Amino acid sequence: PPMDGFPHCKEKLKWLGEMWRTDLCYSNYGVNGSLCSILIYLSEIESWCPVLPGRVALLENSEAVSDHVVVRESLTGLYPSLEKRVQFRWIHQRIRSMEDIWVKAGRSLSAKYNLTERKAKQILVHPGVVTDESGVRIAEAAFSGGPLGELVQWSDLISTLHILGHHLHLTASIPDLKHFLGIKTGGCPTHKKVEANLIYTDIIGLRQIQAILQASWIKYRCRIRVLDTFGTEPDFNHVDWAKEHNLKSPFGSLNLIPMQFYTMFPHTPDNTFLGFVVQHQWSSEETEHLKSTRRQNQALVYGKRATFWEGKGAYMDVIHKYLEIHGTVDQSAGIPGYVKNHGIIKGTEVQALLRQSKVFVGLSFPYEGPAPLEALANGCAFLNPRLHPPQSSLNTEFFKGKPNIREVTSQHPYAEAIGEPYVWMVDMHNSTDVERALTAILNQTIEPYLPYEFSCEGMLQRVHILIEKQDFCNSTGSWPPLSALQVVKAEAKTSCKQACQKMGLICEPAFFPHLNSADNLAKYGVDCQTSELSDSHLVFPAYNSSSKHCVFQSDPLLFSCVRSDQSLIRICPCRDYIKDQIALCQACI
Ligand SMILES: *[C@@H]1O[C@H](CO)[C@@H](O)[C@H](O)[C@H]1NC(C)=O
Ligand SMILES: *[C@@H]1O[C@H](CO)[C@@H](O)[C@H](O)[C@H]1NC(C)=O
Ligand SMILES: *[C@@H]1O[C@H](CO)[C@@H](O)[C@H](O)[C@H]1NC(C)=O
Ligand SMILES: *[C@@H]1O[C@H](CO)[C@@H](O)[C@H](O)[C@H]1NC(C)=O
Ligand SMILES: *[C@@H]1O[C@H](CO)[C@@H](O)[C@H](O)[C@H]1NC(C)=O
Ligand SMILES: *[C@@H]1O[C@H](CO)[C@@H](O)[C@H](O)[C@H]1NC(C)=O
């Protein structure tokens, strides 16, 4: 193009032509040594040269075109930014393999609800766990039998956000993140194109964001959502409380609002339930095939490592009396000789085995994984071993250091709540008990079962509502609607989680502030003759029935659904929920 008005263009072209390799930032902007790429850089990122015909310089205010969103009809737009980053290899595979069911679910949801009145959000997704800098190496282990739960969840979250129509920005390394946040990393100027309205990350990723932005990370605090598999309870989250009460955890003390932690299963109502998707829908071809494969008298054992099988010989012998036993174990040494071991196989092959089997056998470890739900969705019953005593960070190595003291009463508490005929609780060391479960299972036909909240559509519905309604930046916006509030008293030694559950409800921490005053409690028939404010416990608001003295919480970060007191009665904020969509109240959608 004519160089009029750009006196320095030629000399800059020459300079960058020689120097572009000296700083990685140039190639991040697409400079590859060709004259064309250099001219594009010098005109669009810096402004030494004229913009080439047919191209436009990126506008600083491109976020001004914050438009209405539409539900997307494909995931294709997502692939370039996944392919570009090796850290997303496993995630990319899962997303691609599920494209059809995501698109169908998006159509189905928009047919049910009017999703047109939404503003597009700029969303940063930064899974710290996949970054090389984290040292976790989960992205590589995923291909050799490593734990997959977190990658499954990240895949499904990314698909969800894309289908819902928002603008996604994926980062998978520190330079990537710096680039997005507009931090100067080399000779190139910073070029901050967008401001994130919402940030999904994990604890590792949050630490990386804090390290990069230093004190100015605070600006983003309320926009952050932290994926946190097992959950963080308020006392572990609260930095001063944790220090004072010696609640040591490498993952606690983040001082966020507890609902900013997004969990894998609905563990503690103090956090938000994000979930993931259980694969269950097959192409019509597969469905045909499925009809022709009759279920065999076959059990598949849940345990990829031979060590999980140790001490379970007698349990296996009982099951073997009724069923042929199959396994997907890393090595056959140490497992009974009658087990047909398939070794570590792909997810689709595991699903094929599940569809030929009648029972999926838990070995009591791993805890709370996705596999049992996949088994139910593929038509197996699940043998769910009880844990005696219940396991928690106080008595079990696996949970040590996790920022909660939640007690796990079986290998899979979420499945435990589903119950028979899908889930059968067993005492692995009591053959009578195991036989009771097996004879009952084999004497009926068990249909595939998938709770709505673990389907694509269920996840789209939930995340859609959370994005539109859940707001930690603006305290005046109240959600869920107060009309969903039901006040329940929890007797001494009972937590709000338990008290609400007993009434068929769930504890809703968003309502705690509303109950935290004598005037409001009077409306619900609680008569406080005297009262005080205190931050000495996590059970407030609460009252003493003999003195009618009420205690209110002075530190909002110490509201908690899960603690109880020896003698005080808690006043609990409960709400209803949609069956199989526990994150949402009936009036929430
Ligand atoms: C270098 O970049 C230019 C401009 O983006 C592009 O047209 C060209 O194909 C690239 N060349 C190579 C070898 O990648
Ligand atoms: C959705 O809501 C908008 C605004 O409320 C309205 O204009 C539009 O017609 C609605 N669409 C459907 C399909 O109901
Ligand atoms: C074993 O299980 C059976 C059936 O559930 C039960 O009746 C029995 O009490 C159990 N025995 C022991 C020792 O727990
Ligand atoms: C199977 O179930 C039926 C109906 O509940 C019952 O009558 C029958 O005794 C059961 N058979 C066995 C072997 O448990
Ligand atoms: C906060 O929420 C209220 C009620 O939803 C809304 O009217 C107001 O504009 C919001 N303020 C900001 C700064 O977003
Ligand atoms: C409740 O009130 C009674 C009577 O005033 C008092 O003796 C008791 O210590 C109080 N309990 C608590 C936990 O404050």
Side-chain angles (χ1 to χ4, degrees), residues 203-204 207 232 236 242 247-254 393 399-404:
I203 292 174
I204 296 170
R207 296 243 160 84
T232 296
F236 287 83
L247 301 176
K248 290 206 188 91
S249 162
F251 304 110
S253 299
L254 293 174
S393 58
F399 290 113
K400 283 235 164 77
K402 304 242 186 303
N404 63 66

Side-chain angles (χ1 to χ4, degrees), residues 130-183:
V130 307
T131 61
D132 297 341
E133 293 88 349
S134 73
V136 180
R137 314 197 79 75
I138 190 175
E140 292 115 64
F143 291 96
S144 54
L148 297 177
E150 286 166 280
L151 294 181
V152 164
Q153 199 178 28
W154 280 114
S155 311
D156 297 345
L157 175 65
I158 291 170
S159 305
T160 299
L161 297 173
H162 185 80
I163 290 285
L164 288 176
H166 296 288
H167 302 305
L168 281 199
H169 307 275
L170 305 176
T171 55
S173 69
I174 302 274
D176 230 4
L177 183 61
K178 282 187 173 165
H179 180 66
F180 177 82
L181 294 170
I183 305 292

Side-chain angles (χ1 to χ4, degrees), residues 279-447:
Q279 267 178 298
H280 66 293
Q281 279 164 321
W282 314 304
S283 65
S284 47
E285 220 169 85
E286 280 176 306
T287 315
E288 277 313 302
H289 176 69
L290 182 66
K291 280 181 194 146
S292 59
T293 51
R294 293 220 349 266
R295 279 182 201 274
Q296 319 287 311
N297 261 345
Q298 177 179 314
L300 181 65
V301 177
Y302 177 22
K304 283 189 286 199
R305 304 235 183 272
T307 49
F308 301 167
W309 295 58
E310 276 166 20
K312 315 283 161 54
Y315 176 44
M316 286 300 126
D317 290 346
V318 177
I319 298 166
H320 183 54
K321 279 205 284 185
Y322 296 83
L323 298 158
E324 184 178 272
I325 302 186
H326 289 244
T328 55
V329 198
D330 56 356
Q331 51 170 332
S332 293
I335 66 172
Y338 49 72
V339 174
K340 298 205 164 147
N341 185 16
H342 301 261
I344 301 287
I345 52 176
K346 283 199 301 202
T348 47
E349 294 168 59
V350 175
Q351 286 176 28
L353 278 177
L354 287 170
R355 283 176 234 159
Q356 293 160 10
S357 306
K358 290 184 176 166
V359 183
F360 190 56
V361 179
L363 294 174
S364 76
F365 190 87
Y367 306 122
E368 310 191 295
L373 294 187
E374 197 170 279
L376 302 187
N378 284 289
C380 288
F382 175 51
L383 287 189
N384 188 19
R386 291 191 187 88
L387 299 175
H388 284 306
Q391 318 267 281
S392 75
S393 58
L394 300 179
N395 64 4
T396 306
E397 196 54 43
F398 176 81
F399 290 113
K400 283 235 164 77
K402 304 242 186 303
N404 63 66
I405 50 170
R406 188 169 54 93
E407 292 198 323
V408 176
T409 50
S410 67
Q411 181 172 4
H412 208 287
Y414 181 88
E416 183 176 342
I418 293 174
E420 297 172 10
Y422 306 105
V423 178
W424 298 75
M425 302 294 291
V426 290
D427 176 351
M428 287 187 295
H429 307 294
N430 176 344
S431 58
T432 322
D433 198 41
V434 177
E435 294 198 16
R436 173 197 59 92
L438 287 174
T439 48
I441 291 168
L442 295 176
N443 185 22
Q444 56 189 301
T445 308
I446 291 172
E447 295 295 327

Side-chain angles (χ1 to χ4, degrees), residues 25-26 29 41 45-46 179 184-192:
C25 75
Y26 296 115
Y29 277 115
Y41 173 84
I45 308 300
E46 301 189 24
H179 180 66
K184 198 169 163 77
T185 51
C188 309
T190 64
H191 187 264
K192 196 164 173 188

Side-chain angles (χ1 to χ4, degrees), residues 478 482 485-489 510-529 531 541-543 550-552 559 571-573:
S478 148
L482 207 51
L485 169 64
Q486 298 190 39
V487 179
V488 170
K489 290 178 196 162
F511 294 145
F512 270 121
H514 178 73
L515 294 186
N516 204 37
S517 80
D519 286 351
N520 278 349
L521 284 198
K523 292 187 211 152
Y524 301 101
V526 181
D527 175 23
C528 304
Q529 300 202 331
S531 70
Y543 87 114
C550 293
V551 191
F552 295 105
F559 286 125
I571 313 296
C572 300

Side-chain angles (χ1 to χ4, degrees), residues 493-514:
K493 303 188 186 70
T494 309
S495 72
C496 286
K497 180 182 176 180
Q498 295 164 320
C500 296
Q501 214 160 36
K502 216 168 135 201
M503 307 294 289
L505 304 168
I506 184 171
C507 178
E508 175 53 72
F511 294 145
F512 270 121
H514 178 73

